[in-house]
């Protein structure tokens, strides 16, 4: 059995500056510390992440995040076996902040450096939290990502499909803005939806009739805009009850698409690898209880295990980067000072580039 290693992880690809320490082996690892410094306030006035503001905030805070992660883990750089850093994909100015920091620490201490694909971090998280075995199907759903990945090993990913335009979290956020609700839109829309009727507005379920695992969410936001304008024209305003109905109908449409496409992706994944036993979900949208419940029922019906990591490890964090680094360190895969930051870096190099970029920047 391989010896446990202690990995420091760094992450700055979007709007969270994060550092974490993870210790163990790929089969049995523990999060020792997990620091996330958010930037929500810095971007609040702009209705989305502003790349230049994000990059500046990362550069200002990454040292602090590392310091806090080491201190929370009650350790120092001298006890770190390798430094893993997100090298892409993401907003390039942000990715550069952590990459430069990691290179500086590596050079100064002689600690090995490992560049990690951010999406691999998300995709491997269910192993860290639930110990689920390869192969499994991963559904990544956040404000910046939306894709199905067949995960067969730490370096073996097949993308089965994804959004061709907006990510679901982005659709939730835009819908909240259209309906005058707070940001982030996901939780606000979910709360409103609780008192609404999901059947009250007939919203589209895009690409459902297409025989593949791709999705589209941008038409849904246009449909919500039209439905809202119609309500305002009919009622001279947006009554609270109808706003709740719009939220419930929107959430039902997104849920239907995600569940139907997950069903398809499971079948596709099992065609490629019949041993797929589990469906794992990651990303902020995985917090939505209607979507979670839908995925759970799909799993029960198809005799598939379901894994949803706790929210702190579902959303962007550096523990997932450290854990992906642990896999690489155990097989002796290190980088040197030529490691570069990459705005685009598909996990599955063979599948065609996704068209959508998402409000949080091009991901893959
Ligand atoms: O993973 P995440 O924290 O950041 C990235 O996008 O990388 O995801 C944030 C997204 C936001 O768009 C937010 O509105 C959405 O996740 N979200 C939700 C819920 N909580 C957060 N969407 C639907 N329902 C929720 N309860
Ligand atoms: Zn992410």
């Amino acid at each position: 059995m391989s010896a446990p290693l202690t990995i420091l992880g760094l992450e700055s690809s979007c709007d969270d500056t994060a550092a974490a320490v993870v210790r163990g082996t790929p089969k049995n690892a523990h999060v020792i510390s997990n620091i996330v410094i958010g930037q929500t306030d810095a971007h609040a006035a702009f209705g989305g992440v502003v790349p230049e503001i994000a990059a500046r905030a990362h550069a200002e805070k990454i040292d602090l995040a590392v310091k806090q992660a080491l201190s929370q883990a009650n350790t120092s750089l001298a006890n770190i076996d390798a430094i893993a850093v997100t090298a892409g994909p993401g907003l390039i100015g942000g990715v550069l902040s952590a990459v430069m920091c990691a290179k500086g620490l590596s050079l100064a201490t002689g600690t090995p450096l490992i560049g990690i694909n951010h999406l691999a971090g998300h995709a491997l998280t269910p192993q860290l939290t639930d110990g689920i075995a390869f192969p499994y199907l991963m559904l990544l759903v956040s404000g910046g990502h939306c894709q199905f990945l067949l995960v067969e090993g730490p370096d073996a990913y097949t993308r089965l499909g994804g959004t061709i335009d907006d990510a679901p979290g982005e659709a939730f956020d835009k819908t909240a803005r259209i309906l005058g609700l707070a940001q982030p839109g996901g939780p606000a829309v979910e709360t409103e939806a609780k008192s609404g009727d999901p059947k009250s507005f007939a919203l589209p379920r895009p690409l459902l009739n297409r025989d593949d695992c791709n999705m589209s969410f941008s038409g849904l936001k246009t449909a919500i805009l039209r439905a809202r304008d119609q309500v305002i024209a009919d009622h001279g305003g947006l009554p609270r009850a109808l706003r709740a109905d719009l939220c419930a109908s929107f959430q039902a449409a997104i849920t239907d698409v995600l569940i139907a496409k997950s069903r398809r992706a499971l079948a596709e994944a099992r065609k490629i690898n019949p041993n797929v036993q589990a469906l794992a979900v990651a990303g902020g949208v995985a917090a939505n209880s209607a979507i979670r419940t839908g995925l759970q029922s799909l799993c029960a019906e198809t005799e598939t295990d379901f894994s949803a990591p706790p929210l702190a490890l579902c959303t962007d964090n550096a523990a997932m980067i450290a854990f992906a680094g642990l896999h690489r360190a155990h097989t002796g895969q290190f980088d040197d000072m030529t490691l570069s930051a990459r705005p685009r870096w598909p996990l599955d190099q063979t599948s065609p580039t996704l068209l959508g970029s998402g409000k949080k920047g091009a991901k893959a």
Side-chain angles (χ1 to χ4, degrees), residues 139-187:
L139 167 61
L140 267 184
V141 269
S142 70
H145 326 286
C146 182
Q147 53 185 295
F148 290 107
L149 287 167
L150 166 60
V151 187
E152 292 178 281
D155 288 318
Y157 305 94
T158 308
R159 203 189 74 216
L160 303 173
T163 182
I164 59 166
D165 41 54
D166 293 354
E170 198 175 359
F172 269 100
D173 294 342
K174 285 177 180 167
T175 292
R177 260 194 293 282
I178 291 168
L179 299 179
L181 297 169
Q183 295 294 316

mmCIF file of all heavy atoms in Angstrom, residues 139-187:
data_model
loop_
_atom_site.group_PDB
_atom_site.id
_atom_site.type_symbol
_atom_site.label_atom_id
_atom_site.label_comp_id
_atom_site.label_asym_id
_atom_site.label_seq_id
_atom_site.Cartn_x
_atom_site.Cartn_y
_atom_site.Cartn_z
ATOM 1 N N LEU A 139 -22.116 14.336 -13.289
ATOM 2 C CA LEU A 139 -22.854 15.474 -13.855
ATOM 3 C C LEU A 139 -22.367 16.728 -13.140
ATOM 4 O O LEU A 139 -22.555 16.882 -11.938
ATOM 5 C CB LEU A 139 -24.365 15.294 -13.653
ATOM 6 C CG LEU A 139 -25.225 16.549 -13.904
ATOM 7 C CD1 LEU A 139 -25.101 17.064 -15.333
ATOM 8 C CD2 LEU A 139 -26.704 16.254 -13.601
ATOM 9 N N LEU A 140 -21.707 17.595 -13.899
ATOM 10 C CA LEU A 140 -21.210 18.861 -13.344
ATOM 11 C C LEU A 140 -22.201 19.947 -13.679
ATOM 12 O O LEU A 140 -22.422 20.227 -14.863
ATOM 13 C CB LEU A 140 -19.906 19.227 -14.039
ATOM 14 C CG LEU A 140 -18.589 18.805 -13.439
ATOM 15 C CD1 LEU A 140 -17.448 19.375 -14.270
ATOM 16 C CD2 LEU A 140 -18.490 19.325 -12.029
ATOM 17 N N VAL A 141 -22.828 20.559 -12.679
ATOM 18 C CA VAL A 141 -23.817 21.621 -12.937
ATOM 19 C C VAL A 141 -23.591 22.809 -12.028
ATOM 20 O O VAL A 141 -23.858 22.759 -10.834
ATOM 21 C CB VAL A 141 -25.282 21.148 -12.744
ATOM 22 C CG1 VAL A 141 -25.876 20.624 -14.008
ATOM 23 C CG2 VAL A 141 -25.417 20.163 -11.601
ATOM 24 N N SER A 142 -23.094 23.912 -12.614
ATOM 25 C CA SER A 142 -22.864 25.102 -11.798
ATOM 26 C C SER A 142 -23.158 26.340 -12.622
ATOM 27 O O SER A 142 -23.838 26.272 -13.649
ATOM 28 C CB SER A 142 -21.416 25.101 -11.308
ATOM 29 O OG SER A 142 -20.555 25.350 -12.394
ATOM 30 N N GLY A 143 -22.614 27.488 -12.196
ATOM 31 C CA GLY A 143 -22.805 28.708 -12.971
ATOM 32 C C GLY A 143 -21.874 28.752 -14.169
ATOM 33 O O GLY A 143 -22.057 29.543 -15.085
ATOM 34 N N GLY A 144 -20.859 27.929 -14.163
ATOM 35 C CA GLY A 144 -19.876 27.940 -15.245
ATOM 36 C C GLY A 144 -19.742 26.620 -15.971
ATOM 37 O O GLY A 144 -19.164 26.557 -17.054
ATOM 38 N N HIS A 145 -20.225 25.536 -15.374
ATOM 39 C CA HIS A 145 -20.075 24.234 -16.025
ATOM 40 C C HIS A 145 -21.412 23.547 -16.216
ATOM 41 O O HIS A 145 -22.316 23.696 -15.404
ATOM 42 C CB HIS A 145 -19.264 23.232 -15.189
ATOM 43 C CG HIS A 145 -18.164 23.790 -14.373
ATOM 44 N ND1 HIS A 145 -16.992 24.219 -14.901
ATOM 45 C CD2 HIS A 145 -18.050 23.954 -13.029
ATOM 46 C CE1 HIS A 145 -16.193 24.626 -13.925
ATOM 47 N NE2 HIS A 145 -16.817 24.483 -12.781
ATOM 48 N N CYS A 146 -21.482 22.728 -17.249
ATOM 49 C CA CYS A 146 -22.596 21.796 -17.403
ATOM 50 C C CYS A 146 -22.152 20.716 -18.360
ATOM 51 O O CYS A 146 -22.093 20.932 -19.566
ATOM 52 C CB CYS A 146 -23.841 22.492 -17.946
ATOM 53 S SG CYS A 146 -25.215 21.354 -18.079
ATOM 54 N N GLN A 147 -21.774 19.579 -17.835
ATOM 55 C CA GLN A 147 -21.384 18.481 -18.707
ATOM 56 C C GLN A 147 -21.492 17.130 -18.006
ATOM 57 O O GLN A 147 -21.466 17.051 -16.784
ATOM 58 C CB GLN A 147 -19.980 18.681 -19.262
ATOM 59 C CG GLN A 147 -18.894 18.952 -18.251
ATOM 60 C CD GLN A 147 -17.561 19.246 -18.945
ATOM 61 O OE1 GLN A 147 -16.995 18.387 -19.599
ATOM 62 N NE2 GLN A 147 -17.065 20.456 -18.801
ATOM 63 N N PHE A 148 -21.650 16.095 -18.852
ATOM 64 C CA PHE A 148 -21.626 14.710 -18.368
ATOM 65 C C PHE A 148 -20.249 14.140 -18.680
ATOM 66 O O PHE A 148 -19.789 14.226 -19.820
ATOM 67 C CB PHE A 148 -22.666 13.856 -19.100
ATOM 68 C CG PHE A 148 -24.081 14.189 -18.743
ATOM 69 C CD1 PHE A 148 -24.889 14.864 -19.642
ATOM 70 C CD2 PHE A 148 -24.620 13.823 -17.515
ATOM 71 C CE1 PHE A 148 -26.198 15.176 -19.323
ATOM 72 C CE2 PHE A 148 -25.930 14.130 -17.183
ATOM 73 C CZ PHE A 148 -26.723 14.805 -18.090
ATOM 74 N N LEU A 149 -19.618 13.544 -17.666
ATOM 75 C CA LEU A 149 -18.304 12.936 -17.870
ATOM 76 C C LEU A 149 -18.345 11.492 -17.409
ATOM 77 O O LEU A 149 -18.807 11.218 -16.290
ATOM 78 C CB LEU A 149 -17.253 13.652 -17.029
ATOM 79 C CG LEU A 149 -16.798 15.049 -17.455
ATOM 80 C CD1 LEU A 149 -16.008 15.702 -16.322
ATOM 81 C CD2 LEU A 149 -15.948 14.974 -18.724
ATOM 82 N N LEU A 150 -17.882 10.590 -18.258
ATOM 83 C CA LEU A 150 -17.656 9.225 -17.804
ATOM 84 C C LEU A 150 -16.245 9.230 -17.213
ATOM 85 O O LEU A 150 -15.276 9.561 -17.906
ATOM 86 C CB LEU A 150 -17.751 8.261 -18.996
ATOM 87 C CG LEU A 150 -17.220 6.848 -18.750
ATOM 88 C CD1 LEU A 150 -17.969 6.140 -17.630
ATOM 89 C CD2 LEU A 150 -17.306 6.021 -20.035
ATOM 90 N N VAL A 151 -16.148 8.918 -15.914
ATOM 91 C CA VAL A 151 -14.846 8.959 -15.231
ATOM 92 C C VAL A 151 -14.393 7.513 -15.015
ATOM 93 O O VAL A 151 -14.981 6.781 -14.230
ATOM 94 C CB VAL A 151 -14.961 9.689 -13.869
ATOM 95 C CG1 VAL A 151 -13.590 9.887 -13.236
ATOM 96 C CG2 VAL A 151 -15.649 11.045 -14.037
ATOM 97 N N GLU A 152 -13.334 7.114 -15.739
ATOM 98 C CA GLU A 152 -12.865 5.723 -15.635
ATOM 99 C C GLU A 152 -11.546 5.612 -14.886
ATOM 100 O O GLU A 152 -11.072 4.512 -14.605
ATOM 101 C CB GLU A 152 -12.730 5.107 -17.029
ATOM 102 C CG GLU A 152 -14.091 4.920 -17.706
ATOM 103 C CD GLU A 152 -13.963 4.349 -19.105
ATOM 104 O OE1 GLU A 152 -13.639 5.135 -20.022
ATOM 105 O OE2 GLU A 152 -14.199 3.142 -19.279
ATOM 106 N N GLY A 153 -10.932 6.751 -14.590
ATOM 107 C CA GLY A 153 -9.662 6.767 -13.862
ATOM 108 C C GLY A 153 -9.259 8.212 -13.681
ATOM 109 O O GLY A 153 -9.890 9.105 -14.253
ATOM 110 N N PRO A 154 -8.192 8.459 -12.889
ATOM 111 C CA PRO A 154 -7.807 9.857 -12.627
ATOM 112 C C PRO A 154 -7.383 10.608 -13.887
ATOM 113 O O PRO A 154 -7.349 11.835 -13.901
ATOM 114 C CB PRO A 154 -6.644 9.723 -11.636
ATOM 115 C CG PRO A 154 -6.208 8.310 -11.694
ATOM 116 C CD PRO A 154 -7.354 7.496 -12.174
ATOM 117 N N ASP A 155 -7.069 9.866 -14.950
ATOM 118 C CA ASP A 155 -6.690 10.508 -16.206
ATOM 119 C C ASP A 155 -7.548 10.018 -17.364
ATOM 120 O O ASP A 155 -7.152 10.154 -18.519
ATOM 121 C CB ASP A 155 -5.218 10.212 -16.542
ATOM 122 C CG ASP A 155 -4.276 10.969 -15.636
ATOM 123 O OD1 ASP A 155 -4.548 12.156 -15.372
ATOM 124 O OD2 ASP A 155 -3.297 10.363 -15.168
ATOM 125 N N ALA A 156 -8.682 9.426 -17.070
ATOM 126 C CA ALA A 156 -9.496 8.834 -18.146
ATOM 127 C C ALA A 156 -10.922 9.377 -18.105
ATOM 128 O O ALA A 156 -11.760 8.908 -17.326
ATOM 129 C CB ALA A 156 -9.504 7.311 -18.000
ATOM 130 N N TYR A 157 -11.185 10.394 -18.933
ATOM 131 C CA TYR A 157 -12.497 11.052 -18.946
ATOM 132 C C TYR A 157 -13.067 11.041 -20.353
ATOM 133 O O TYR A 157 -12.358 11.321 -21.318
ATOM 134 C CB TYR A 157 -12.375 12.516 -18.500
ATOM 135 C CG TYR A 157 -11.712 12.690 -17.159
ATOM 136 C CD1 TYR A 157 -10.342 12.935 -17.067
ATOM 137 C CD2 TYR A 157 -12.448 12.589 -15.990
ATOM 138 C CE1 TYR A 157 -9.724 13.086 -15.829
ATOM 139 C CE2 TYR A 157 -11.842 12.737 -14.751
ATOM 140 C CZ TYR A 157 -10.476 12.985 -14.682
ATOM 141 O OH TYR A 157 -9.880 13.132 -13.454
ATOM 142 N N THR A 158 -14.347 10.733 -20.449
ATOM 143 C CA THR A 158 -15.020 10.842 -21.742
ATOM 144 C C THR A 158 -16.198 11.788 -21.550
ATOM 145 O O THR A 158 -17.077 11.529 -20.717
ATOM 146 C CB THR A 158 -15.554 9.462 -22.207
ATOM 147 O OG1 THR A 158 -14.481 8.531 -22.132
ATOM 148 C CG2 THR A 158 -16.083 9.540 -23.626
ATOM 149 N N ARG A 159 -16.215 12.880 -22.301
ATOM 150 C CA ARG A 159 -17.346 13.803 -22.191
ATOM 151 C C ARG A 159 -18.468 13.303 -23.088
ATOM 152 O O ARG A 159 -18.289 13.147 -24.278
ATOM 153 C CB ARG A 159 -16.938 15.224 -22.593
ATOM 154 C CG ARG A 159 -17.874 16.247 -21.967
ATOM 155 C CD ARG A 159 -17.662 17.647 -22.482
ATOM 156 N NE ARG A 159 -18.205 17.743 -23.830
ATOM 157 C CZ ARG A 159 -17.664 18.470 -24.805
ATOM 158 N NH1 ARG A 159 -16.568 19.129 -24.592
ATOM 159 N NH2 ARG A 159 -18.206 18.510 -25.993
ATOM 160 N N LEU A 160 -19.620 13.042 -22.457
ATOM 161 C CA LEU A 160 -20.732 12.468 -23.215
ATOM 162 C C LEU A 160 -21.655 13.542 -23.757
ATOM 163 O O LEU A 160 -22.483 13.270 -24.626
ATOM 164 C CB LEU A 160 -21.526 11.506 -22.315
ATOM 165 C CG LEU A 160 -20.700 10.363 -21.712
ATOM 166 C CD1 LEU A 160 -21.530 9.571 -20.708
ATOM 167 C CD2 LEU A 160 -20.190 9.438 -22.801
ATOM 168 N N GLY A 161 -21.529 14.754 -23.236
ATOM 169 C CA GLY A 161 -22.374 15.857 -23.706
ATOM 170 C C GLY A 161 -22.346 16.980 -22.693
ATOM 171 O O GLY A 161 -21.752 16.851 -21.623
ATOM 172 N N GLY A 162 -22.982 18.088 -23.053
ATOM 173 C CA GLY A 162 -23.009 19.228 -22.141
ATOM 174 C C GLY A 162 -23.877 20.316 -22.727
ATOM 175 O O GLY A 162 -24.537 20.109 -23.756
ATOM 176 N N THR A 163 -23.883 21.481 -22.089
ATOM 177 C CA THR A 163 -24.707 22.559 -22.619
ATOM 178 C C THR A 163 -24.049 23.142 -23.876
ATOM 179 O O THR A 163 -22.826 23.185 -23.970
ATOM 180 C CB THR A 163 -24.932 23.679 -21.584
ATOM 181 O OG1 THR A 163 -25.773 24.668 -22.175
ATOM 182 C CG2 THR A 163 -23.632 24.336 -21.140
ATOM 183 N N ILE A 164 -24.890 23.557 -24.801
ATOM 184 C CA ILE A 164 -24.337 24.209 -25.990
ATOM 185 C C ILE A 164 -24.410 25.728 -25.836
ATOM 186 O O ILE A 164 -23.990 26.456 -26.722
ATOM 187 C CB ILE A 164 -25.043 23.748 -27.285
ATOM 188 C CG1 ILE A 164 -26.548 24.048 -27.225
ATOM 189 C CG2 ILE A 164 -24.804 22.269 -27.538
ATOM 190 C CD1 ILE A 164 -27.222 23.942 -28.581
ATOM 191 N N ASP A 165 -24.964 26.207 -24.723
ATOM 192 C CA ASP A 165 -24.987 27.663 -24.491
ATOM 193 C C ASP A 165 -24.786 27.973 -23.000
ATOM 194 O O ASP A 165 -23.684 27.862 -22.499
ATOM 195 C CB ASP A 165 -26.249 28.320 -25.082
ATOM 196 C CG ASP A 165 -27.515 27.502 -24.855
ATOM 197 O OD1 ASP A 165 -27.788 27.169 -23.683
ATOM 198 O OD2 ASP A 165 -28.231 27.205 -25.822
ATOM 199 N N ASP A 166 -25.843 28.365 -22.282
ATOM 200 C CA ASP A 166 -25.680 28.738 -20.870
ATOM 201 C C ASP A 166 -25.544 27.505 -19.976
ATOM 202 O O ASP A 166 -26.052 26.428 -20.291
ATOM 203 C CB ASP A 166 -26.922 29.511 -20.383
ATOM 204 C CG ASP A 166 -27.060 30.867 -21.049
ATOM 205 O OD1 ASP A 166 -26.146 31.262 -21.796
ATOM 206 O OD2 ASP A 166 -28.098 31.528 -20.820
ATOM 207 N N ALA A 167 -24.895 27.704 -18.833
ATOM 208 C CA ALA A 167 -24.904 26.673 -17.793
ATOM 209 C C ALA A 167 -26.197 26.856 -16.980
ATOM 210 O O ALA A 167 -26.750 27.958 -16.930
ATOM 211 C CB ALA A 167 -23.690 26.841 -16.889
ATOM 212 N N PRO A 168 -26.700 25.792 -16.316
ATOM 213 C CA PRO A 168 -27.964 25.908 -15.574
ATOM 214 C C PRO A 168 -27.932 26.971 -14.480
ATOM 215 O O PRO A 168 -28.920 27.696 -14.284
ATOM 216 C CB PRO A 168 -28.156 24.518 -14.978
ATOM 217 C CG PRO A 168 -27.307 23.620 -15.784
ATOM 218 C CD PRO A 168 -26.172 24.433 -16.313
ATOM 219 N N GLY A 169 -26.808 27.100 -13.771
ATOM 220 C CA GLY A 169 -26.709 28.104 -12.708
ATOM 221 C C GLY A 169 -26.865 29.502 -13.285
ATOM 222 O O GLY A 169 -27.491 30.391 -12.671
ATOM 223 N N GLU A 170 -26.308 29.679 -14.477
ATOM 224 C CA GLU A 170 -26.417 30.954 -15.173
ATOM 225 C C GLU A 170 -27.883 31.235 -15.510
ATOM 226 O O GLU A 170 -28.356 32.371 -15.377
ATOM 227 C CB GLU A 170 -25.600 30.800 -16.454
ATOM 228 C CG GLU A 170 -25.215 32.047 -17.126
ATOM 229 C CD GLU A 170 -24.291 31.722 -18.318
ATOM 230 O OE1 GLU A 170 -23.979 30.534 -18.556
ATOM 231 O OE2 GLU A 170 -23.912 32.674 -18.992
ATOM 232 N N ALA A 171 -28.617 30.201 -15.932
ATOM 233 C CA ALA A 171 -30.040 30.351 -16.247
ATOM 234 C C ALA A 171 -30.830 30.713 -14.979
ATOM 235 O O ALA A 171 -31.713 31.577 -15.011
ATOM 236 C CB ALA A 171 -30.581 29.075 -16.877
ATOM 237 N N PHE A 172 -30.484 30.071 -13.850
ATOM 238 C CA PHE A 172 -31.140 30.416 -12.567
ATOM 239 C C PHE A 172 -30.860 31.877 -12.224
ATOM 240 O O PHE A 172 -31.757 32.622 -11.800
ATOM 241 C CB PHE A 172 -30.621 29.519 -11.432
ATOM 242 C CG PHE A 172 -31.418 28.263 -11.211
ATOM 243 C CD1 PHE A 172 -30.990 27.040 -11.711
ATOM 244 C CD2 PHE A 172 -32.603 28.297 -10.487
ATOM 245 C CE1 PHE A 172 -31.724 25.877 -11.507
ATOM 246 C CE2 PHE A 172 -33.350 27.136 -10.266
ATOM 247 C CZ PHE A 172 -32.903 25.926 -10.783
ATOM 248 N N ASP A 173 -29.588 32.295 -12.384
ATOM 249 C CA ASP A 173 -29.207 33.671 -12.020
ATOM 250 C C ASP A 173 -29.922 34.691 -12.910
ATOM 251 O O ASP A 173 -30.413 35.716 -12.426
ATOM 252 C CB ASP A 173 -27.684 33.843 -12.107
ATOM 253 C CG ASP A 173 -26.952 33.001 -11.068
ATOM 254 O OD1 ASP A 173 -27.600 32.567 -10.095
ATOM 255 O OD2 ASP A 173 -25.741 32.762 -11.229
ATOM 256 N N LYS A 174 -29.995 34.397 -14.218
ATOM 257 C CA LYS A 174 -30.655 35.337 -15.138
ATOM 258 C C LYS A 174 -32.160 35.387 -14.861
ATOM 259 O O LYS A 174 -32.773 36.457 -14.899
ATOM 260 C CB LYS A 174 -30.397 34.921 -16.588
ATOM 261 C CG LYS A 174 -28.979 35.259 -17.036
ATOM 262 C CD LYS A 174 -28.712 34.784 -18.452
ATOM 263 C CE LYS A 174 -27.281 35.133 -18.879
ATOM 264 N NZ LYS A 174 -26.883 34.442 -20.106
ATOM 265 N N THR A 175 -32.749 34.240 -14.570
ATOM 266 C CA THR A 175 -34.181 34.200 -14.263
ATOM 267 C C THR A 175 -34.472 35.030 -13.014
ATOM 268 O O THR A 175 -35.446 35.794 -12.968
ATOM 269 C CB THR A 175 -34.642 32.733 -14.089
ATOM 270 O OG1 THR A 175 -34.548 32.111 -15.366
ATOM 271 C CG2 THR A 175 -36.056 32.620 -13.567
ATOM 272 N N ALA A 176 -33.600 34.903 -12.016
ATOM 273 C CA ALA A 176 -33.792 35.697 -10.789
ATOM 274 C C ALA A 176 -33.747 37.180 -11.115
ATOM 275 O O ALA A 176 -34.565 37.966 -10.601
ATOM 276 C CB ALA A 176 -32.706 35.339 -9.770
ATOM 277 N N ARG A 177 -32.819 37.580 -11.967
ATOM 278 C CA ARG A 177 -32.714 39.004 -12.328
ATOM 279 C C ARG A 177 -33.974 39.468 -13.042
ATOM 280 O O ARG A 177 -34.525 40.517 -12.754
ATOM 281 C CB ARG A 177 -31.498 39.239 -13.226
ATOM 282 C CG ARG A 177 -30.309 39.786 -12.443
ATOM 283 C CD ARG A 177 -29.227 40.331 -13.354
ATOM 284 N NE ARG A 177 -28.576 39.305 -14.140
ATOM 285 C CZ ARG A 177 -27.651 38.481 -13.679
ATOM 286 N NH1 ARG A 177 -27.248 38.579 -12.434
ATOM 287 N NH2 ARG A 177 -27.112 37.565 -14.443
ATOM 288 N N ILE A 178 -34.464 38.635 -13.987
ATOM 289 C CA ILE A 178 -35.672 38.981 -14.752
ATOM 290 C C ILE A 178 -36.875 39.152 -13.813
ATOM 291 O O ILE A 178 -37.730 40.003 -14.018
ATOM 292 C CB ILE A 178 -35.960 37.881 -15.819
ATOM 293 C CG1 ILE A 178 -34.889 37.917 -16.903
ATOM 294 C CG2 ILE A 178 -37.352 38.028 -16.407
ATOM 295 C CD1 ILE A 178 -34.913 36.703 -17.844
ATOM 296 N N LEU A 179 -36.899 38.346 -12.747
ATOM 297 C CA LEU A 179 -38.056 38.369 -11.844
ATOM 298 C C LEU A 179 -37.826 39.255 -10.613
ATOM 299 O O LEU A 179 -38.629 39.253 -9.670
ATOM 300 C CB LEU A 179 -38.404 36.944 -11.405
ATOM 301 C CG LEU A 179 -38.782 35.986 -12.564
ATOM 302 C CD1 LEU A 179 -39.077 34.597 -12.031
ATOM 303 C CD2 LEU A 179 -39.984 36.521 -13.347
ATOM 304 N N GLY A 180 -36.719 39.998 -10.614
ATOM 305 C CA GLY A 180 -36.456 40.928 -9.511
ATOM 306 C C GLY A 180 -36.072 40.240 -8.210
ATOM 307 O O GLY A 180 -36.315 40.769 -7.126
ATOM 308 N N LEU A 181 -35.449 39.058 -8.316
ATOM 309 C CA LEU A 181 -35.020 38.352 -7.099
ATOM 310 C C LEU A 181 -33.520 38.555 -6.881
ATOM 311 O O LEU A 181 -32.792 38.961 -7.787
ATOM 312 C CB LEU A 181 -35.323 36.849 -7.232
ATOM 313 C CG LEU A 181 -36.810 36.494 -7.363
ATOM 314 C CD1 LEU A 181 -36.974 35.035 -7.765
ATOM 315 C CD2 LEU A 181 -37.538 36.766 -6.051
ATOM 316 N N ALA A 182 -33.059 38.214 -5.666
ATOM 317 C CA ALA A 182 -31.660 38.461 -5.299
ATOM 318 C C ALA A 182 -30.705 37.484 -5.978
ATOM 319 O O ALA A 182 -31.109 36.428 -6.466
ATOM 320 C CB ALA A 182 -31.531 38.325 -3.782
ATOM 321 N N GLN A 183 -29.420 37.863 -6.001
ATOM 322 C CA GLN A 183 -28.353 36.983 -6.486
ATOM 323 C C GLN A 183 -27.643 36.360 -5.281
ATOM 324 O O GLN A 183 -27.557 37.005 -4.240
ATOM 325 C CB GLN A 183 -27.348 37.773 -7.329
ATOM 326 C CG GLN A 183 -27.921 38.335 -8.615
ATOM 327 C CD GLN A 183 -28.313 37.264 -9.607
ATOM 328 O OE1 GLN A 183 -27.584 36.300 -9.834
ATOM 329 N NE2 GLN A 183 -29.490 37.388 -10.184
ATOM 330 N N PRO A 184 -27.065 35.155 -5.360
ATOM 331 C CA PRO A 184 -27.169 34.259 -6.501
ATOM 332 C C PRO A 184 -28.597 33.763 -6.698
ATOM 333 O O PRO A 184 -29.319 33.516 -5.730
ATOM 334 C CB PRO A 184 -26.215 33.111 -6.127
ATOM 335 C CG PRO A 184 -26.132 33.150 -4.638
ATOM 336 C CD PRO A 184 -26.303 34.581 -4.244
ATOM 337 N N GLY A 185 -28.974 33.626 -7.967
ATOM 338 C CA GLY A 185 -30.363 33.374 -8.304
ATOM 339 C C GLY A 185 -30.885 31.993 -7.927
ATOM 340 O O GLY A 185 -32.082 31.839 -7.660
ATOM 341 N N GLY A 186 -30.001 30.994 -7.909
ATOM 342 C CA GLY A 186 -30.451 29.613 -7.652
ATOM 343 C C GLY A 186 -31.255 29.475 -6.377
ATOM 344 O O GLY A 186 -32.428 29.075 -6.394
ATOM 345 N N PRO A 187 -30.657 29.821 -5.223
ATOM 346 C CA PRO A 187 -31.393 29.682 -3.958
ATOM 347 C C PRO A 187 -32.652 30.551 -3.929
ATOM 348 O O PRO A 187 -33.686 30.129 -3.390
ATOM 349 C CB PRO A 187 -30.389 30.157 -2.904
ATOM 350 C CG PRO A 187 -29.049 30.091 -3.560
ATOM 351 C CD PRO A 187 -29.262 30.243 -5.024
#
